[in-house]
Amino acid sequence: MNSFDKLLRLAKNTEPKKIAVAAAQDDDVLKSIQSAVRENICIPILVGDKEKIIEISKEINFNLDNIQIIDEKDGKEAARTAVALVSSGKADIVMKGLIDTSIVLKAVLDKEIGLRTGNILSHAAVFELEKYHKLLVITDAAMNIAPDASEKKQIIENTLTLCHSLSIEKPKVAVVCAKEKVSDKMQATLDAQALVNMYKNGEIKGCIVEGPFGLDNAVSKEAAALKGVKGEVAGDADILLMPNIEAGNVMYKALTYFSNSKNAGIILGARNPVVLTSRADSDETKLNSIALAVICSKRRLV
């Protein structure tokens, strides 16, 4: 799996999934939904300001015939309605529209209508990069500020469901730090050591966990060889587990703005996939994210 073209074909190789969009009155969101409908990967339920949804749809030539629209102008209620549709089984995926992330997540975590599981929620970004030989998953760039080793274990487990959905049956997890040697002065390296021990003890299954890695030797075999870093993951990582949200977020935005890349973002750890992209993300990124959620939903429903 090395491109979003292949990922989209995989998404199309199943029944379209129902996606409830919270506050759908947004140009790029509706463009991405329009493309997803054209590709026959989703059946949308648009929750939000009906008048604005119709107005924008006319501007982009999006035919709303046979598409359900639930008129709800209040953002919080739109989020609750979209999440309730999923928790009740009337939809498969939640998507954030023109609304703050915190409002959507509050609804997702609501004890009555939410999508809670035993795990923490975490964000995974999938990148297609010119200079890397396969899709690369970066986590966590948006949710967990300073996860400890136990929380990082849960982040890995969340991300494995995504990779397994992409037919990466034994993902290679690189625990990324500022250096590739364990140091008492750098907590991230101690966390890496703890995670590797968990993996060796059988507490983390379905993947290979190694680290600590510097970023260079996690993704470059040449850099790994030069520094004498060995292992199955060195230079061939599927998942980059970042040390904290600052590193993850900067990495995400650096790849987005300084490289010729494509990406997608999704929230994992809930009972159903949550498409959560930035307002600044393009409609192409949002379409890629929908395709990713459709594939994860397919895996969950099998």
Side-chain angles (χ1 to χ4, degrees):
M1 185 65 65
N2 59 7
S3 73
F4 279 108
D5 287 340
K6 290 183 179 179
L7 188 145
L8 186 58
R9 287 199 294 271
L10 183 61
K12 292 169 69 173
N13 190 29
T14 185
E15 291 294 319
K17 297 292 181 283
K18 291 185 177 180
I19 181 165
V21 186
Q25 62 274 9
D26 177 79
D27 187 84
D28 283 337
V29 168
L30 287 172
K31 283 180 180 177
S32 67
I33 291 292
Q34 180 183 31
S35 298
V37 170
R38 188 184 301 123
E39 297 290 350
N40 196 33
I41 63 173
C42 86
I43 300 169
I45 303 173
L46 305 177
V47 184
D49 188 321
K50 185 174 182 177
E51 185 177 333
K52 290 183 180 179
I53 290 170
I54 292 172
E55 180 184 342
I56 295 169
S57 296
K58 286 180 179 178
E59 291 173 358
I60 64 174
N61 296 315
F62 182 16
N63 186 350
L64 295 176
D65 291 349
N66 302 316
I67 291 178
Q68 183 180 359
I69 302 176
I70 299 175
D71 190 21
E72 180 53 74
K73 293 178 174 58
D74 182 82
K76 291 181 181 179
E77 289 305 314
R80 287 182 59 82
T81 299
V83 170
L85 285 167
V86 175
S87 63
S88 65
K90 296 177 182 176
D92 306 301
I93 298 163
V94 179
M95 181 174 180
K96 172 194 169 211
L98 189 64
I99 194 172
D100 287 343
T101 296
S102 60
I103 294 174
V104 175
L105 294 180
K106 185 176 181 180
V108 169
L109 294 172
D110 186 278
K111 291 182 179 179
E112 294 182 8
I113 54 97
L115 304 170
R116 285 173 175 263
T117 65
N119 254 20
I120 62 174
L121 298 183
S122 60
H123 180 270
V126 181
F127 276 87
E128 176 188 333
L129 300 161
E130 268 191 329
K131 294 186 177 181
Y132 203 61
H133 55 286
K134 55 185 173 180
L135 293 180
L136 185 64
V137 182
I138 296 169
T139 190
D140 181 335
M143 286 291 300
N144 297 283
I145 296 172
D148 59 21
S150 175
E151 290 167 329
K152 288 177 180 177
K153 173 179 179 287
Q154 294 180 60
I155 292 171
I156 291 173
E157 291 168 343
N158 286 348
T159 312
L160 293 184
T161 63
L162 167 62
C163 288
H164 294 161
S165 297
L166 299 176
S167 299
I168 307 168
E169 293 305 327
K170 202 164 187 181
K172 298 176 181 180
V173 182
V175 186
V176 176
C177 303
K179 60 186 294 184
E180 49 283 324
K181 293 183 179 180
V182 177
S183 169
D184 290 340
K185 296 180 179 180
M186 301 183 71
Q187 183 60 46
T189 66
L190 298 174
D191 290 347
Q193 185 179 52
L195 290 165
V196 171
N197 289 338
M198 290 179 200
Y199 163 68
K200 289 179 178 178
N201 293 335
E203 297 174 55
I204 303 175
K205 300 178 181 179
C207 63
I208 302 168
V209 180
E210 293 178 357
F213 283 102
L215 176 62
D216 52 352
N217 41 68
V219 297
S220 167
K221 288 186 179 294
E222 291 79 8
L226 284 170
K227 291 189 175 181
V229 178
K230 299 179 180 180
E232 293 180 77
V233 179
D236 193 38
D238 294 296
I239 300 170
L240 299 182
L241 178 66
M242 305 306 289
N244 52 42
I245 197 169
E246 285 91 351
N249 194 270
V250 170
M251 177 76 169
Y252 175 92
K253 289 175 180 174
L255 290 177
T256 299
Y257 289 98
F258 288 124
S259 71
N260 186 12
S261 65
K262 297 179 181 179
N263 69 82
I266 190 172
I267 294 293
L268 303 166
R271 285 195 285 114
N272 298 67
V274 179
V275 177
L276 195 148
T277 54
S278 168
R279 294 182 188 180
D281 286 332
S282 67
D283 57 297
E284 181 185 34
T285 294
K286 290 178 169 67
L287 173 61
N288 292 338
S289 302
I290 291 169
L292 200 62
V294 166
I295 293 167
C296 288
S297 181
K298 174 186 174 183
R299 178 92 180 199
R300 188 186 64 83
L301 295 171
V302 169

